[in-house]
């Protein structure tokens, strides 16, 4: 089973430092649009929560991809996107039940959390402790 970044909405302050750390790590810029994690605000509840890939046991994004650009590593459980094969059709974005897949604003290719090679920077920079790395087993 895959490890993933678990979110604790009750601790999230909505500071969005996680998004900035992610975009800096992957694209070298502070730009939340390029982050693989997204802070979503539930306005009625006045609560923030992180939307991030949980590397599902049976990824719907992978099943929805018409060009097999998404795969799941059988050992680590990591769901990843082959940027060369991805056509940017967005089928994976529509299929993800966690709203964790998105299209990169410049390349138009699908992106998801890659766990930063096993040490997610979003978790490292989350001072309120709203993110934790480690959980297993999702959908």
């Amino acid at each position: 089973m895959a490890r993933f970044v678990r979110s604790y909405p009750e601790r999230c302050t909505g500071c969005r430092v996680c998004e900035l750390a992610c975009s800096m790590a992957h694209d070298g810029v502070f730009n939340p649009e390029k982050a693989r994690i997204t802070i979503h605000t539930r306005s009625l509840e006045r609560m923030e929560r992180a939307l991030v890939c949980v590397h599902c046991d049976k990824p719907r994004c992978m099943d929805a991809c018409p060009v097999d650009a998404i795969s799941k590593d059988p050992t680590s459980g990591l769901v990843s996107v082959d940027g060369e094969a991805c056509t940017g059709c967005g089928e994976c974005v529509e299929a993800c039940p966690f709203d964790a897949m998105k299209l990169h604003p410049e390349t138009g290719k699908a992106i998801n959390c890659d766990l930063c090679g096993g040490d997610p920077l979003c978790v490292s920079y989350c001072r309120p402790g709203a993110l934790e790395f480690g959980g297993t087993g999702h959908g």
Side-chain angles (χ1 to χ4, degrees), residues 11-83:
R11 299 179 194 163
C12 183
T13 63
C15 69
R16 304 179 79 166
V17 169
C18 55
E19 294 175 330
L20 298 177
C22 180
S23 65
M24 179 55 85
H26 291 88
D27 289 284
V29 295
F30 292 123
N31 182 343
E33 297 298 316
K34 295 181 178 181
R36 278 77 174 155
I37 185 170
T38 302
I39 299 301
H40 174 74
T41 301
R42 292 188 249 176
S43 57
L44 292 177
E45 300 159 359
R46 294 184 179 172
M47 183 178 276
E48 324 290 335
R49 72 178 172 119
L51 304 176
V52 63
C53 184
V54 295
H55 304 278
C56 302
D57 292 336
K58 297 176 184 173
R60 293 183 192 171
C61 59
M62 188 171 77
D63 293 339
C65 181
V67 295
D68 297 326
I70 300 174
S71 61
K72 182 173 180 67
D73 185 286
T75 304
S76 69
L78 187 73
V79 174
S80 59
V81 178
D82 178 347

Side-chain angles (χ1 to χ4, degrees), residues 97-120:
F98 299 102
D99 295 325
M101 294 293 285
K102 61 196 277 189
L103 299 179
H104 192 281
E106 288 180 8
T107 68
K109 308 284 183 154
I111 55 175
N112 71 321
C113 174
D114 63 0
L115 303 176
C116 295
D119 187 18

